[in-house]
Amino acid sequence: RYRPLGRLSTARGFLKCRTLRGFRAPEPRRKSSAPGTCVIYWKILMSAFRLDGRVALVTGGASGIGAATCRAFQSAGASVIIADRNAAQAAALAQELPGARAAVCDITSEPDVARLIGATERLDILVNNAGIGLVGNIEETSLEDFERLFRVNVTGLYLVTRAALPRLLESRGSIVNIG
């Protein structure tokens, strides 16, 4: 009936029990599992984190942290728009999550971003998750790689936020930047 949060895989719930030290669950549902940690039941946590009727857009939502975010928002009751360059992965995740839809978008392209936001009637939550990283020092990094990193991580975030801002202001929504 209840599933302990500490036993969920990261794909199902990216929160770990240890990150919730100090959380006070009602006594009948709180059990000590080790000094300094507690087993917190998923139902209790999710009842405090409800997003029923909200629409969330997650950029880079088809894999990794973005996919985990989409799953968490969907399980909290939100309708999720999975925006990603990888159409196959985004569609597969959208089929897995009831009420979710996939949208192919390159966040570095202003027309793509305008099309994505234009097709969205309502928006309550924007999660700027899409991003890339490069390994190497300045001597090993080419100018093209650096410019691509800047386009995705900075310009893409700017373009999506700027395009989504009117809808977020209408709904008194929220922006979450991951990076």
Side-chain angles (χ1 to χ4, degrees), residues 81-104:
I81 303 167
I82 304 161
D84 204 283
R85 289 177 53 191
N86 188 328
Q89 273 189 305
L93 183 59
Q95 280 194 319
E96 182 184 315
L97 303 175
R101 72 176 174 93
V104 178

Side-chain angles (χ1 to χ4, degrees), residues 25-66:
E27 283 308 313
R29 296 183 182 165
R30 184 171 175 258
K31 296 178 182 177
S32 292
S33 60
T37 64
C38 63
V39 176
I40 300 168
Y41 290 101
W42 184 250
K43 187 172 181 178
I44 295 169
L45 179 66
M46 292 313 292
S47 67
F49 178 68
R50 294 303 308 166
L51 297 172
D52 297 308
R54 306 277 177 139
V55 178
L57 169 63
V58 182
T59 64
S63 62
I65 294 170

Side-chain angles (χ1 to χ4, degrees), residues 16-142:
K16 293 289 188 187
C17 188
R18 289 189 185 115
T19 64
L20 298 171
R21 281 190 186 151
F23 179 83
R24 287 269 202 236
E27 283 308 313
R29 296 183 182 165
R30 184 171 175 258
K31 296 178 182 177
S32 292
S33 60
T37 64
C38 63
V39 176
I40 300 168
Y41 290 101
W42 184 250
K43 187 172 181 178
I44 295 169
L45 179 66
M46 292 313 292
S47 67
F49 178 68
R50 294 303 308 166
L51 297 172
D52 297 308
R54 306 277 177 139
V55 178
L57 169 63
V58 182
T59 64
S63 62
I65 294 170
T69 303
C70 290
R71 286 184 176 98
F73 281 7
Q74 187 277 329
S75 68
S79 298
V80 181
I81 303 167
I82 304 161
D84 204 283
R85 289 177 53 191
N86 188 328
Q89 273 189 305
L93 183 59
Q95 280 194 319
E96 182 184 315
L97 303 175
R101 72 176 174 93
V104 178
C105 181
D106 177 2
I107 64 166
T108 64
S109 165
E110 196 168 3
D112 270 13
V113 171
R115 181 182 45 77
L116 171 67
I117 301 300
T120 306
E121 294 176 19
R122 180 172 168 227
L123 188 59
D124 298 294
I125 304 162
L126 169 63
V127 180
N128 285 309
N129 172 68
I132 59 172
L134 295 174
V135 178
N137 60 29
I138 196 163
E139 295 169 332
E140 299 166 344
T141 304
S142 69

